[in-house]
Amino acid sequence: MTQQTQRETEDYDLIIVGSGSGNSLITDAWDERRVAIVDGGVFGGTCLNVGCIPTKMYVYPSATALHGLELDRLGVGMERTGVSWPAIRDRVFGRIDAISQGGLEYREGLENVDVYTEYARLVEPHVLETASGARLRGEQIVFASGSRSVVPEIPGADLPGVHTSDTVMRLEELPRDVVILGGGFIAAEFAGIFTGLGSRVIQANRSERVLREHDAEIAERYVREAGRQWDLRLNTEIARIERDGERLAVTLSGEDGEETVGADVVLVATGRRSNVDLLGAEEAGLDVVDGVLAVDEHQRVLSGGEPVPGLWGLGDVSSTTQLKHLANAQARTVSHNLLHPDELAATDERYVPHAVFTTPQIAAVGQTQEQAEEAAAREGYEVAVKVQDYGDVAYGWAMEDKQGLVKLIARRDTGELLGAHIIGTEASNLIQPLIQAMSFGLPAHRMARGQYWIHPALAEVVENALLGLEVPGN
Ligand SMILES: Cc1cc2nc3c(=O)[nH]c(=O)nc-3n(C[C@H](O)[C@H](O)[C@H](O)COP(=O)(O)OP(=O)(O)OC[C@H]3O[C@@H](n4cnc5c(N)ncnc54)[C@H](O)[C@@H]3O)c2cc1C
Ligand SMILES: NC(=O)c1ccc[n+]([C@@H]2O[C@H](COP(=O)([O-])OP(=O)(O)OC[C@H]3O[C@@H](n4cnc5c(N)ncnc54)[C@H](O)[C@@H]3O)[C@@H](O)[C@H]2O)c1
């Protein structure tokens, strides 16, 4: 304490807490001003180090292997003759760790930027104290401190062999048996990854419903497809985890009582919470709503519902939707607003899409059918819904596809697209023109007939879904 009071407060024009999307705020425009970036974790944040990027670098080889194994239906027999987990892991982290380290060194090399590789907490709305006691005052402070995994209180959850997504990608060897707890994004992606690489996977989902924010029809199709590939157990929890020699004994509790299974690895994927608590935001008088730092559409931090001058929030710390492209969009808003206080920009969050890179892929934007029907009943219009199977378009015949579907939801009176939901091969790419149409207000019939669709590309499944909607012009 004495030591802390003796230290002088450093003054900055801009302090950024969190080096994920927050790192992008340090542009040339700040060259003549003093900037501090503070991060107590690995430089570059979640997406780069333990999130989007490494997971997809595992998804690609795994999904490619799975794809090969399913070619029997097309008259081509393939075998998975060997999987080198260490080779995949070293390829992934050989690239990523170097980017993180390079990013840190670059920032440290900038004359106007100080990097603090430690955690920090607010002591006053404009003053932070780092773990080692340094005091930093910022005329502007941006909170971009992300989220962290939540691990429920399960007996044995602290045993070696029990992982979250933060650690499971660094395993020494490919596990033979994996138990995954959860039915969200991370569980779905890792169930696909491990299955494709040859592990035996049990995915335990607490309730009947997986991927709960998805359209019900997509979630049902996922259950069918996941169930074909790995052991997906609904209404099942982990009661306890015990050591069993070198392995783990995992007791699952489901509708038929308890069963103990052997596992090398347990992956807990039960959600992530905002790091707002680590900032001491509430104690400093800032609003915390739904567990996240409250911000307005300009990303200004709120206190008592009013914006606090010079304080900004972006990404997972201040958003209940935890997606990198959203964090990046919010960072662009903050970047503009820091420099143009008289012409504040707002983040457009009308159509924030997402994709789950499981097998098959899932992608969605806008309202589910249930949400659209509720809104229509409330506001007095009708919705049109079309479900188009991949298997009914030419490229789907080539693929002999029995998995994929595109579901579109539109206003019956205007053709305005309200929601798009895809499960199947390349869902994350097929959805992009639909995101574009929704973002720029292109109605269904105009989108279908106002352009050529390459024949016989898989994208025809989107064209046919558009043409199948009962909307003006069709
Ligand atoms: C396994 C996984 C896969 C994912 N895949 C995808 C995907 O495919 N697509 C997608 O869009 N999103 C994906 N996400 C979500 C995405 O990674 C996050 O939404 C995004 O990275 C959030 O960025 P951010 O800048 O808000 O926070 P982060 O990137 O988490 O950065 C926050 C930083 O703040 C630091 N920090 C925290 N508290 C403090 C403090 N008090 N003081 C100092 N530093 C602090 C942390 O160490 C961290 O480095 C995935 C997430 C996970 C976990
Ligand atoms: N492709 C992507 O964009 C991508 C990939 C991975 C993660 N993410 C982001 O990261 C976030 C976190 O992912 P996630 O999968 O951990 O969270 P999630 O919110 O998607 O899913 C959490 C799951 O855990 C279950 N659960 C919660 N508490 C539980 C408990 N006590 N016992 C058993 N089950 C419990 C929930 O029912 C749910 O099925 C996602 O919401 C997403 O925004 C995105």
Side-chain angles (χ1 to χ4, degrees):
M1 197 65 187
T2 331
Q3 198 188 10
Q4 284 169 18
T5 46
Q6 281 167 356
R7 288 178 74 160
E8 277 183 22
T9 303
E10 291 279 345
D11 279 303
Y12 291 96
D13 296 300
L14 172 63
I15 301 175
I16 302 156
V17 187
S19 64
S21 295
N23 189 34
S24 67
L25 299 172
I26 311 178
T27 59
D28 300 353
W30 293 91
D31 278 356
E32 305 305 318
R33 292 179 253 194
R34 284 201 82 200
V35 177
I37 184 158
V38 190
D39 197 317
V42 185
F43 199 83
T46 302
C47 182
L48 173 66
N49 293 296
V50 289
C52 337
I53 294 177
T55 49
K56 271 80 246 180
M57 290 177 82
Y58 276 100
V59 164
Y60 186 76
S62 158
T64 305
L66 267 182
H67 181 63
L69 292 175
E70 300 215 324
L71 290 182
D72 269 357
R73 69 184 189 285
L74 303 178
V76 178
M78 303 264 271
E79 271 182 65
R80 183 178 43 209
T81 55
V83 169
S84 171
W85 172 273
I88 300 174
R89 183 199 56 208
D90 295 348
R91 180 181 76 86
V92 171
F93 292 107
R95 181 175 280 218
I96 284 170
D97 293 347
I99 295 172
S100 168
Q101 187 57 31
L104 174 62
E105 285 167 12
Y106 174 71
R107 285 291 176 237
E108 284 175 335
L110 293 177
E111 254 178 42
N112 65 318
V113 178
D114 289 338
V115 182
Y116 294 84
T117 51
E118 39 184 333
Y119 287 94
R121 255 185 107 78
L122 282 166
V123 285
E124 290 167 33
H126 278 266
V127 182
L128 289 157
E129 189 170 283
T130 71
S132 69
R135 281 195 168 226
L136 322 177
R137 182 185 295 109
E139 190 181 329
Q140 315 248 24
I141 302 185
V142 181
F143 301 105
S145 55
S147 62
R148 63 185 184 278
S149 303
V150 177
V151 178
E153 284 188 20
I154 302 165
D158 54 350
L159 286 172
V162 181
H163 292 263
T164 66
S165 54
D166 288 348
T167 51
V168 77
M169 288 181 277
R170 301 255 183 186
L171 292 174
E172 285 299 317
E173 294 294 337
L174 178 68
R176 199 178 61 194
D177 291 289
V178 183
V179 175
I180 300 178
L181 180 63
F185 283 61
I186 293 179
E189 290 188 352
F190 278 102
I193 288 171
F194 282 118
T195 301
L197 296 180
S199 303
R200 287 184 302 223
V201 172
I202 298 176
Q203 181 186 355
N205 185 60
R206 182 169 57 168
S207 66
E208 184 73 27
R209 181 82 193 263
V210 287
L211 298 173
R212 59 200 154 149
E213 277 151 29
H214 283 74
D215 187 273
E217 204 161 345
I218 298 289
E220 274 166 31
R221 183 64 64 98
Y222 167 79
V223 168
R224 191 188 86 183
E225 291 305 317
R228 254 182 357 96
Q229 301 173 79
W230 59 85
D231 185 354
L232 170 62
R233 302 195 189 184
L234 304 179
N235 301 309
T236 302
E237 289 194 72
I238 296 183
R240 60 191 167 277
I241 308 167
E242 290 152 306
R243 215 188 270 275
D244 180 15
E246 293 291 293
R247 304 220 315 152
L248 297 166
V250 183
T251 302
L252 300 168
S253 164
E255 284 166 323
D256 301 328
E258 289 196 347
E259 182 194 354
T260 301
V261 298
D264 305 294
V265 161
V266 173
L267 171 63
V268 181
T270 51
R272 292 174 64 85
R273 61 174 291 187
S274 160
N275 283 329
V276 65
D277 52 333
L278 307 181
L279 287 173
E282 238 170 337
E283 296 84 332
L286 307 181
D287 294 350
V288 176
V289 177
D290 295 334
V292 305
L293 181 65
V295 293
D296 66 8
E297 71 275 26
H298 306 293
Q299 308 302 139
R300 295 179 297 188
V301 171
L302 304 178
S303 171
E306 294 299 320
V308 185
L311 297 190
W312 311 85
L314 67 89
D316 288 8
V317 74
S318 57
S319 173
T320 51
T321 302
Q322 300 168 343
L323 293 168
K324 182 63 174 175
H325 42 274
L326 180 59
N328 284 346
Q330 294 173 344
R332 288 193 292 274
T333 302
V334 173
S335 188
H336 173 93
N337 291 347
L338 283 168
L339 298 164
H340 303 90
D342 299 328
E343 303 163 23
L344 291 182
T347 313
D348 179 356
E349 298 191 13
R350 288 171 307 151
Y351 304 113
V352 181
H354 67 257
V356 188
F357 294 78
T358 182
T359 42
Q361 286 186 3
I362 298 169
V365 59
Q367 296 171 340
T368 62
Q369 182 173 349
E370 206 178 309
Q371 290 166 340
E373 284 171 349
E374 269 175 32
R378 213 172 38 242
E379 289 164 36
Y381 55 82
E382 285 183 37
V383 295
V385 176
K386 171 67 184 170
V387 175
Q388 175 69 53
D389 283 319
Y390 281 34
D392 290 339
V393 300
Y395 207 82
W397 303 346
M399 294 162 70
E400 205 60 57
D401 189 275
K402 298 207 176 0
Q403 302 182 318
L405 69 83
V406 173
K407 179 176 191 172
L408 298 183
I409 302 149
R411 265 183 81 132
R412 200 181 281 272
D413 54 352
T414 61
E416 179 193 349
L417 287 163
L418 302 171
H421 308 270
I422 308 183
I423 181 167
T425 300
E426 290 299 332
S428 61
N429 288 317
L430 285 178
I431 202 159
Q432 195 62 43
L434 292 159
I435 301 166
Q436 185 174 358
M438 289 169 72
S439 303
F440 294 106
L442 192 59
H445 181 76
R446 228 170 98 62
M447 179 182 176
R449 280 292 164 257
Q451 63 181 322
Y452 286 99
W453 295 80
I454 292 171
H455 181 69
L458 186 53
E460 283 183 339
V461 68
V462 173
E463 180 195 18
N464 283 11
L466 288 164
L467 290 172
L469 285 164
E470 280 186 36
V471 293
N474 277 351

